[in-house]
Structures are given as C-alpha cells and as structure tokens.
Amino acid sequence: MSISFEDFKKIELKVALIESVELHPNADRLYILKVKVGEVQKQIVAGIRKHYTEEELKGKKIVIVDNLEPVVIRGVESQGMLLAASNDEMLSVVVPDRNTISDGCLLK
C-alpha cells in the first residue's frame, strides 16, 4: 500500500527520552514507557520486552511518532509509537545517531 507524500508529511517524528520503564500488568511482551518529548511527558506501550531489558531502555533516546491518536492496549493507554526495525530474530529501536540531539526535536 502506498501513501501520498502529503499524507507522509502529516506524521510527526520526534526524539523522546525514556524516563522510566514498567512491566505491562496484562501482557508479558509489553512495556509501559514514560517518555519526555520536549517539555511534555507521554506514555507509550511497546512490544519490545523480549528484546530489551528495563535497564537498557531507561535513559535511551528513541524516535517516536508523536501525533497518533491515543489507543488502549491491553487496558493501558498508549499516546504514541516508537520506531523499530526487525527481522525474524532481532528487533532494534530507532535511535538518533548523535547524542547531542535533544528530546522533542522534530525529525525532518
């Protein structure tokens, strides 16, 4: 399925700092991430628990889709989506390659 360039321009990709990581109470593959996007705190439910420990994620800068409508995933609200790449064996979250990029930056 293709989307138009106009639709793609609507997506807000931003850098977020993971401030805390919690186990999802109703799913063994999900984490609840509290992230900081500029001055705003958000909660993201992410299915990355098989691939990352809580310690590996806390303090990491990641790339998120910031302007998704909130959804409830297994009883917990998610206010965005992190970007990741995967194959059959591994998953890797998308991170900025320079640590000087501040959280809240809009990616272009």
Side-chain angles (χ1 to χ4, degrees):
M1 176 181 154
S2 297
I3 64 169
S4 71
F5 186 69
E6 291 303 312
D7 285 339
F8 176 76
K9 289 188 335 184
K10 296 175 187 175
I11 300 170
E12 290 183 14
L13 300 176
K14 291 189 181 175
V15 175
L17 174 67
I18 300 175
E19 295 189 311
S20 70
V21 181
E22 301 170 25
L23 302 177
H24 193 294
N26 302 319
D28 59 357
R29 290 196 258 176
L30 301 176
Y31 279 130
I32 302 168
L33 308 176
K34 305 284 187 180
V35 300
K36 184 177 162 200
V37 186
E39 297 301 317
V40 177
Q41 288 200 307
K42 289 190 162 203
Q43 175 171 280
I44 295 177
V45 176
I48 59 173
R49 198 160 138 188
K50 177 180 169 185
H51 304 279
Y52 286 92
T53 65
E54 295 171 64
E55 294 78 24
E56 289 175 306
L57 292 170
K58 190 171 180 186
K60 183 180 283 294
K61 289 184 180 179
I62 59 172
V63 177
I64 68 165
V65 179
D66 191 44
N67 62 333
L68 288 177
E69 290 182 8
V71 296
V72 175
I73 300 173
R74 311 271 322 244
V76 176
E77 184 178 75
S78 185
Q79 301 162 329
M81 180 184 292
L82 65 79
L83 298 186
S86 67
N87 61 24
D88 291 338
E89 301 157 15
M90 156 189 288
L91 177 139
S92 178
V93 296
V94 175
V95 298
D97 73 340
R98 297 188 181 181
N99 205 22
T100 57
I101 301 295
S102 63
D103 52 291
C105 277
L106 181 63
L107 301 177
K108 299 178 178 194

